[in-house]
Amino acid sequence: MGATDGQMDLLRFATAGSVDDGKSTLIGRLLFDSKSIFADQLEAVEKTSTDKGHGYVDLSLLTDGLRSEREQGITIDVAYRYFATPTRKFIIADTPGHVQYTRNMVTGASTADLGLVLVDARHGLTEQSRRHAVLLSLLRVPHLVLCINKMDLVDWSEETYEKIHAEFTQFATKLNIPDLEVIPISALNGDNVVDRSENTPWYHGPTLMHHLEHVHVASDRDLVDTRFPVQYVVRPKSDEHHDYRGYAGQIAGGVLKKGDEVIVLPSGMTSKIEAIDLFDQEVDEAFPPMSVTVRLEDDVDVSRGDMIARVKNAPKPSQDIDAMVCWMTNEPLRPRQKLAIKHTTRTGRTMVKDIQYRLDVNSLHRDQEAGELGLNEIGRVQLRTTVPLLCDPYSKNRTTGSFILIDEATGVTVGAGMINSGS
Amino acid sequence: MTNTHADYQLSQLDQLEAESIHIFREVAAEFEKPVLMFSGGKDSIVMLRLAEKAFYPAKIPFPIMQVDTGLDFPEVMETRDNWVNRLGVRLVVASIDDAIARGVVVDDGKTSRNRMQTATLLDAIEENGFTAAFGGGRRDEEKARAKERVYSHRDEFGQWDPKMQRPELWSLYNGRLHAGEHMRIFPISNWTELDIWDYIGREGIEIPSIYFSHQRRVFERDGMLMTETPLNPMRDGEVAEERTVRFRTCGDITLTGCVESTASTIDEIIDEVAAARVTERGATRGDDRFSEAAMEDRKKEGYF
């Protein structure tokens, strides 16, 4: 094989931070130092910087891709960027610092293994940094990195670093953040980004790149509770494969093994795994996030939207759902409202029974008088669904614990939900 | 012995493959009439391979559609036919010549065929009633693409509105449409050029011969090496000569340049791509050079 053999692993991370904290510069530097910026892209950025009369190369132009973003000098929407080092490939969900922050943060963080929050060393923690940490913890992003940026502007003060570190650790005790790393950096000069800085002899932790390359994400998946949402039924009906009937889908949790006794939900029929097909090969077992096709020993009725689980460890079908919902559209979410809901491969309709409280993502205060959720607000909501959802708490499984809400008139995705429990 | 988490680790290429297959199946399950847009280039060939895997041992449950510019490389057409025959899929050809003859697009002698692709494509989507069209776009290709969703909503005019994109959460894709609208689907959004080559190498996938180093009579135009062909008459001062070249992208023969290269195997190509300092589009695509937002503007009109 050539320079890479495709065998390295993948880390998805979401970036967050306020407008002027140097996020674009940091991303620009990660891309630049990993040789992911090409000469023609850099030339275009240099040319635009000159045209605009900047006295410097504005690396944020690399990340603001749309005409209207460049016109306004702001980032409108989540963008996805890519870089690789010899050990890992990275997908960055680059979420904008301002306008519609919650909605975009939730979008970017929904698929992230790691969240990167940037703060300006001169200003310390802001409301924005706290909010981002809260959102990352709500979205169960298992790893968090707090980058204290612009250390060059505070004379590389260890005291400043320690103060922000302590303040954040104190705040984080209220949240669910299993793994936290606090790194002093200068994105502009590259200190502790890829190479260890001589300016921070008191800092003994990893550089940002080293941490991104080595943080252990393999154990973040649930390999105990087997969950296989059936996505598509494969029935070739050809002469060669006349009786073939396979259930295709992506493993959402646990390990599925040939010979396992399984239950099909919601029907409750049981059978055994006859074979697991990975294209034209049979495999003995499958685990997340593999896309496979499963064949069962018995001719049970299975269709899209069903779920295959282990007999003694199956989710309970429920139509009453208790969830945290992030609302993403101007028209507020109100009780009695009806929406379409998509959960794993199931779709149905749902009605809002009750909005229990609205969460203030700055103070974590629960406002029980709220009554509705506006754009970018998050609250605890009770839903009643037309079809039973085969769900787990989001804290156990980010795939079987999440859903989206769709406005039936416009077809637009208007809400993101994280299930607390179903009953 | 119990297995540990380390035993249940997928390589990044396998993760990308699993994600793409999930997207193909989701679309086949939820949309009435999908189609796979096929240019014959490396990305659309990888897409065909992924679609083949997603539904195996059944055949791919939707047709593939090629917009025939009349200016395609013969080597690319040959590979297309090999794939169609091997997979037994239905091929729909939307021809620009035909669209001109029917008055769907106007050939004013100034507009490039690349640009006429958009109207031809939209017409074919409408004509056939396709509700979802798979495209081989990758977000690493271009900065406007970096912003695009996996499910990219198009209105009844086929237009993309970047400000009105639906948030895309987890792997829960929203395929709701109103009459006349359609969705563009990008299953390989998260792949990079290098991933594509790694995958082609790993899977032993047949690709057009023009990707490999060969002798070709070329001339220099706008800093690019263009193929000498009657389809693309040379202008004053342009001189053709034989060089050792290969292509990094497959497009319209009059707009797609090649690079000097001796890379004749996939491994050599991978090494070359890994060391490249210019993007594939920057190096070889005239169509992206019209303006800084050329791709964005074309996408808004309905280009894929």
Side-chain angles (χ1 to χ4, degrees):
Chain A
M1 279 273 169
T4 63
D5 58 4
Q7 287 308 302
M8 46 185 186
D9 68 357
L10 183 63
L11 181 91
R12 295 173 194 249
F13 70 98
T15 59
S18 328
V19 190
D20 294 317
D21 54 16
K23 188 158 62 74
S24 299
T25 314
L26 177 62
I27 292 173
R29 182 148 288 283
L30 286 171
L31 297 176
F32 190 80
D33 287 351
S34 60
K35 299 190 169 46
S36 308
I37 297 177
F38 292 91
D40 53 324
Q41 291 171 328
L42 199 62
E43 248 170 58
V45 165
E46 282 166 354
K47 184 179 174 300
T48 310
S49 297
T50 313
D51 290 350
K52 287 188 159 192
H54 295 327
Y56 58 99
V57 177
D58 185 356
L59 284 178
S60 73
L61 292 169
L62 276 170
T63 52
D64 288 342
L66 301 174
R67 194 183 274 279
S68 50
E69 290 179 318
R70 287 192 302 273
E71 278 162 11
Q72 298 170 52
I74 59 157
T75 312
I76 290 174
D77 210 336
V78 184
Y80 294 87
R81 314 195 179 278
Y82 306 83
F83 71 96
T85 65
T87 51
R88 229 173 211 177
K89 178 183 169 179
F90 300 92
I91 301 179
I92 313 177
D94 177 15
T95 67
H98 52 166
V99 288
Q100 301 195 335
Y101 42 81
T102 306
R103 170 187 146 148
N104 290 319
M105 265 292 290
V106 168
T107 302
S110 71
T111 52
D113 306 303
L114 179 146
L116 195 159
V117 177
L118 219 62
V119 299
D120 186 326
R122 295 170 302 170
H123 308 134
L125 294 188
T126 59
E127 196 172 295
Q128 191 93 315
S129 12
R130 289 194 182 85
R131 184 188 300 133
H132 289 149
V134 168
L135 290 171
L136 290 167
S137 118
L138 253 178
L139 269 291
R140 299 270 163 182
V141 178
H143 308 274
L144 196 147
V145 179
L146 182 71
C147 280
I148 305 179
N149 191 23
K150 308 197 185 180
M151 286 299 294
D152 50 322
L153 301 181
V154 294
D155 292 331
W156 307 101
S157 156
E158 182 182 7
E159 202 191 330
T160 306
Y161 168 79
E162 290 297 345
K163 187 174 151 280
I164 298 172
H165 191 325
E167 198 187 341
F168 191 83
T169 313
Q170 172 64 28
F171 176 70
T173 55
K174 289 192 264 181
L175 306 173
N176 188 320
I177 297 173
D179 172 42
L180 170 70
E181 196 70 49
V182 185
I183 307 175
I185 63 164
S186 163
L188 195 65
N189 304 317
D191 294 80
N192 291 334
V193 176
V194 173
D195 297 314
R196 178 160 287 284
S197 172
E198 287 175 10
N199 295 312
T200 53
W202 41 265
Y203 173 70
H204 304 291
T207 63
L208 175 59
M209 190 69 105
H210 186 273
H211 183 61
L212 292 175
E213 279 188 306
H214 294 93
V215 62
H216 189 62
V217 291
S219 55
D220 296 335
R221 295 161 303 157
D222 176 2
L223 292 180
V224 175
D225 307 295
T226 302
R227 301 288 184 262
F228 184 67
V230 175
Q231 200 187 359
Y232 188 89
V233 181
V234 179
R235 291 227 53 190
K237 293 181 192 154
S238 59
D239 293 344
E240 203 184 334
H241 302 282
H242 190 75
D243 296 319
Y244 188 97
R245 189 189 180 97
Y247 309 107
Q250 188 166 23
I251 309 271
V255 180
L256 208 56
K257 292 192 171 89
K258 190 174 168 172
D260 276 353
E261 287 204 44
V262 292
I263 183 166
V264 180
L265 296 169
S267 72
M269 307 275 281
T270 57
S271 184
K272 258 189 180 171
I273 304 272
E274 186 182 67
I276 303 170
D277 295 329
L278 188 65
F279 185 42
D280 56 358
Q281 289 171 30
E282 274 193 37
V283 291
D284 291 333
E285 51 187 18
F287 52 90
M290 285 170 75
S291 280
V292 294
T293 304
V294 167
R295 282 180 278 147
L296 299 181
E297 280 185 3
D298 307 283
D299 229 355
V300 290
D301 176 23
V302 185
S303 52
R304 174 174 168 86
D306 290 355
M307 185 178 292
I308 294 173
R310 300 281 285 272
V311 176
K312 286 185 181 145
N313 176 355
K316 205 170 72 176
S318 29
Q319 281 177 267
D320 289 292
I321 307 294
D322 175 308
M324 296 303 290
V325 168
C326 173
W327 193 244
M328 302 182 154
T329 194
N330 288 316
E331 190 65 22
L333 177 75
R334 296 196 178 95
R336 311 280 314 155
Q337 196 164 335
K338 293 184 184 70
L339 296 150
I341 185 167
K342 187 169 184 188
H343 170 263
T344 63
T345 54
R346 300 206 121 200
T347 31
R349 300 184 74 213
T350 186
M351 187 175 69
V352 180
K353 300 283 280 186
D354 184 35
I355 297 174
Q356 212 171 322
Y357 61 79
R358 177 167 63 204
L359 183 75
D360 184 325
V361 287
N362 300 314
S363 64
L364 296 177
H365 172 71
R366 298 169 176 187
D367 179 3
Q368 291 173 349
E369 309 300 314
E372 59 178 48
L373 295 181
L375 174 66
N376 285 316
E377 291 183 336
I378 293 179
R380 186 166 178 175
V381 173
Q382 264 70 47
L383 300 169
R384 171 83 184 166
T385 57
T386 52
V387 293
L389 303 189
L390 310 161
C391 60
D392 293 294
Y394 185 75
S395 56
K396 278 186 77 178
N397 189 317
R398 285 167 86 184
T399 305
T400 54
S402 57
F403 60 84
I404 55 169
L405 298 170
I406 299 164
D407 183 314
E408 293 186 294
T410 62
V412 171
T413 304
V414 290
M418 290 158 277
I419 296 168
N420 297 322
S421 63
S423 57
Chain B
M1 203 186 92
T2 52
N3 285 307
T4 64
H5 280 279
D7 299 318
Y8 294 117
Q9 188 61 17
L10 280 190
S11 73
Q12 62 105 1
L13 213 47
D14 285 327
Q15 284 192 51
L16 292 173
E17 181 191 63
E19 178 181 73
S20 302
I21 286 175
H22 173 259
I23 295 163
F24 271 111
R25 288 170 173 169
E26 203 61 12
V27 172
E30 289 205 314
F31 286 86
E32 219 165 291
K33 244 188 142 183
V35 65
L36 189 151
M37 299 191 286
F38 185 78
S39 70
K42 63 185 187 306
D43 298 317
S44 48
I45 285 176
V46 164
M47 294 263 292
L48 260 191
R49 174 66 168 178
L50 292 164
E52 179 188 11
K53 287 195 172 195
F55 304 103
Y56 186 87
K59 283 186 177 167
I60 296 173
F62 39 78
I64 70 172
M65 178 164 69
Q66 189 222 343
V67 178
D68 181 359
T69 59
L71 300 171
D72 296 295
F73 288 88
E75 296 92 334
V76 175
M77 293 301 96
E78 191 188 313
T79 310
R80 176 197 76 180
D81 293 339
N82 291 345
W83 273 91
V84 167
N85 290 334
R86 189 173 74 72
L87 297 179
V89 287
R90 184 162 73 90
L91 172 71
V92 178
V93 177
S95 141
I96 289 185
D97 281 326
D98 182 48
I100 293 169
R102 289 190 297 127
V104 173
V105 290
V106 177
D107 186 5
D108 57 8
K110 284 179 248 157
T111 311
S112 80
R113 290 240 155 179
N114 186 290
R115 205 127 181 135
M116 289 192 266
Q117 272 188 342
T118 301
T120 308
L121 171 69
L122 290 174
D123 181 64
I125 286 175
E126 195 178 325
E127 182 109 320
N128 290 280
F130 294 129
T131 52
F134 292 101
R138 309 188 321 263
R139 291 187 186 126
D140 82 319
E141 275 180 88
E142 210 274 340
K143 53 188 183 286
R145 283 233 164 112
K147 297 267 170 180
E148 187 143 17
R149 301 285 179 262
V150 172
Y151 274 37
S152 182
H153 179 265
R154 303 298 166 111
D155 67 14
E156 64 263 54
F157 298 100
Q159 299 178 114
W160 179 60
D161 184 351
K163 285 185 182 173
M164 292 296 287
Q165 297 197 89
R166 296 172 178 177
E168 211 153 75
L169 299 131
W170 298 286
S171 50
L172 291 168
Y173 303 106
N174 171 1
R176 296 263 166 157
L177 292 174
H178 290 295
E181 298 175 344
H182 72 276
M183 201 70 86
R184 298 289 170 85
I185 315 282
F186 299 104
I188 56 168
S189 283
N190 286 326
W191 296 53
T192 61
E193 185 184 10
L194 205 50
D195 294 328
I196 293 289
W197 283 112
D198 279 337
Y199 195 71
I200 289 170
R202 182 180 99 172
E203 301 282 311
I205 293 175
E206 185 202 344
I207 52 170
S209 57
I210 63 170
Y211 281 116
F212 300 99
S213 175
H214 59 283
Q215 300 293 311
R216 179 174 291 262
R217 282 189 64 80
V218 293
F219 62 92
E220 210 168 302
R221 176 179 292 171
D222 302 332
M224 291 187 295
L225 295 177
M226 311 303 293
T227 297
E228 183 193 39
T229 157
L231 297 169
N232 194 16
M234 285 193 285
R235 298 168 193 158
D236 287 347
E238 291 175 339
V239 188
E241 57 175 332
E242 189 153 286
R243 298 231 202 148
T244 307
V245 298
R246 68 173 202 89
F247 287 81
R248 283 179 75 183
T249 64
C250 281
D252 176 330
I253 201 167
T254 66
L255 287 169
T256 307
C258 47
V259 292
E260 283 191 279
S261 168
T262 55
S264 56
T265 65
I266 298 285
D267 283 353
E268 285 168 5
I269 291 174
I270 290 173
D271 287 337
E272 194 180 277
V273 170
R277 298 306 306 134
V278 178
T279 63
E280 53 185 294
R281 290 203 159 259
T284 62
R285 291 303 279 265
D287 35 333
D288 285 339
R289 297 190 167 191
F290 298 127
S291 83
E292 194 184 3
M295 170 81 86
E296 179 184 350
D297 293 343
R298 275 183 294 147
K299 277 158 60 64
K300 281 181 180 163
E301 285 172 17
Y303 185 73
F304 57 92

